[in-house]
Amino acid sequence: MVIKMDRVKEYEALVNIYEKEGLDTSLFGDRIAAIIISGERIIGLNNVEGVEIVGEEIENGVRAEIKIKDNIELPFPIHLCTGFLKSEGYQRVVFDIIVGKGSKVKFLSHCIFPYAKDFTHDAYAKIRIDEGAFVVYEDEHVHGEGVRMISKTEVKVGRKGRYMGKFSLIKHRAKELKLEMRVDLDDYAVTELVSKVKAIKDDSVEVKEVAYLTGAHSRANLKTTVIAFDNAKANVINEAYGLGEHSKGHVECHEIVKGEADVQTVPFLRVKNDKAELTHEASIGRINEAQLMQLMAKGLGEEEAAELIIKGLLRE
């Protein structure tokens, strides 16, 4: 990992936050392909055989191109660390990712904004997955009290490719979150999108997941779980478009409400091929009373029991 001398303190600060949050600090090692961002500066970058990361510092942020060659299977994940260590400001991050034919890679993306009080993070990712490639992209967040986050990801999955996208914001404030993920699938391509968000106080959350089953025999599974407390607001939209012959899609939205939270969910299915099949499952409700009573009978208080149930839902 190449670290410029004037950026060592920021690098060390991010590593310390990883330790505090229980995240894997080995991701900062030289054997890992990685780009480490703090504010509008690239403070660390490392390439490995088969992976080329080129970063560019732009106004208020960073743009990076990541290219994985054909038939590459990495023993370690590619680490994308986006940090902002001030309390106020704006950051824009743009990722352009191309995964070559037959490659198998995993991305671990961490957004680290622990001190944010009045901060906006604007992120855009464009991912192209070539024929037969398999990509896992996990996105986990550490937020302060005042983060406005806008995140948009567009994925094109080639023939027989697979994309598994996971977004998680369950330990910290969501505050203002606008999350959008769109995936377009070629013949026999598969995607699974899983989003988990916990909203408290006056947080505002908007989640939109969209799958275009363009190719024949393509498959998509979209699953969103939102836990909303207090006066939080959440709007969840899951869309699937059955366009290719024998394509199959399923959307699943589960929201748990506690207090005066305002939550709505909209599963939207559209078929334009009579051989496509789309299904949906949606629910909004309180914490399961039977589970709650069962845990309280074992000696837990109501709040403890509720928190345990919620943790279980977010781990699933």
Side-chain angles (χ1 to χ4, degrees):
M1 182 76 67
V2 178
I3 309 296
K4 294 183 179 180
M5 289 300 295
D6 64 336
R7 304 181 184 184
V8 170
K9 288 185 177 179
E10 289 176 87
Y11 179 84
E12 291 176 344
L14 286 170
V15 174
N16 288 336
I17 293 166
Y18 268 61
E19 290 179 343
K20 182 180 177 181
E21 292 292 329
L23 299 174
D24 186 1
T25 56
S26 70
L27 294 170
F28 291 91
D30 290 338
R31 61 186 180 178
I32 305 289
I35 183 168
I36 314 300
I37 300 166
S38 180
E40 59 186 21
R41 307 203 301 176
I42 299 170
I43 62 173
L45 192 147
N46 195 58
N47 284 314
V48 299
E49 186 175 353
V51 179
E52 181 185 21
I53 303 175
V54 178
E56 174 191 8
E57 296 177 354
I58 60 176
E59 185 178 4
N60 296 313
V62 170
R63 178 184 291 111
E65 293 184 356
I66 304 169
K67 295 181 180 180
I68 293 94
K69 294 180 179 179
D70 293 350
N71 301 310
I72 295 296
E73 186 168 354
L74 297 176
F76 305 106
I78 298 170
H79 183 206
L80 310 178
C81 175
T82 302
F84 191 89
L85 300 177
K86 300 177 182 178
S87 62
E88 299 179 359
Y90 170 74
Q91 181 188 54
R92 182 169 182 262
V93 177
V94 180
F95 288 127
D96 193 346
I97 300 170
I98 298 175
V99 181
K101 292 181 180 179
S103 291
K104 296 181 180 180
V105 295
K106 180 178 182 178
F107 292 86
L108 285 180
S109 173
H110 295 115
C111 292
I112 310 297
F113 321 130
Y115 313 119
K117 295 182 179 178
D118 184 9
F119 168 63
T120 299
H121 174 72
D122 190 355
Y124 176 67
K126 186 176 182 181
I127 304 172
R128 191 187 84 194
I129 300 169
D130 287 344
E131 183 176 351
F134 180 25
V135 175
V136 176
Y137 194 107
E138 296 186 3
D139 191 4
E140 188 171 351
H141 289 247
V142 175
H143 285 199
E145 288 290 310
V147 177
R148 290 180 296 274
M149 179 175 169
I150 303 168
S151 176
K152 185 174 183 179
T153 302
E154 295 185 1
V155 186
K156 174 67 176 177
V157 186
R159 189 176 187 274
K160 293 187 177 180
R162 296 174 66 91
Y163 177 75
M164 318 299 283
K166 300 179 181 180
F167 178 91
S168 176
L169 178 49
I170 59 178
K171 297 180 181 178
H172 302 271
R173 289 284 305 272
K175 193 54 180 177
E176 294 183 31
L177 171 65
K178 292 184 179 180
L179 174 67
E180 183 175 344
M181 292 181 281
R182 295 177 179 267
V183 182
D184 193 313
L185 301 157
D186 204 342
D187 294 348
Y188 296 94
V190 177
T191 192
E192 182 177 9
L193 302 180
V194 179
S195 300
K196 299 179 181 182
V197 180
K198 181 180 177 181
I200 63 173
K201 299 182 180 179
D202 62 347
D203 291 352
S204 175
V205 172
E206 294 182 23
V207 178
K208 185 174 184 179
E209 296 179 344
V210 183
Y212 295 97
L213 294 117
T214 305
H217 300 277
S218 55
R219 301 286 186 271
N221 185 26
L222 315 182
K223 184 176 180 179
T224 306
T225 302
V226 175
I227 310 295
F229 285 3
D230 310 318
N231 293 298
K233 294 183 179 180
N235 182 29
V236 178
I237 300 173
N238 294 86
E239 299 180 3
Y241 296 83
L243 308 175
E245 288 192 356
H246 306 293
S247 60
K248 290 185 178 181
H250 179 70
V251 301
E252 192 173 328
C253 320
H254 296 294
E255 282 69 57
I256 299 296
V257 180
K258 186 178 179 183
E260 301 298 320
D262 182 359
V263 175
Q264 69 173 2
T265 181
V266 181
F268 180 85
L269 309 179
R270 185 173 183 181
V271 172
K272 296 186 72 175
N273 188 305
D274 63 2
K275 295 182 181 179
E277 181 182 336
L278 303 178
T279 59
H280 76 82
E281 178 182 348
S283 66
I284 301 176
R286 298 185 300 169
I287 294 171
N288 187 291
E289 289 291 335
Q291 289 181 325
L292 191 66
M293 296 302 294
Q294 190 176 40
L295 289 172
M296 290 174 65
K298 294 180 179 180
L300 294 179
E302 184 175 354
E303 290 298 321
E304 290 177 303
E307 188 65 25
L308 189 62
I309 292 169
I310 288 165
K311 286 181 179 179
L313 287 168
L314 294 173
R315 279 198 299 265
E316 289 178 354

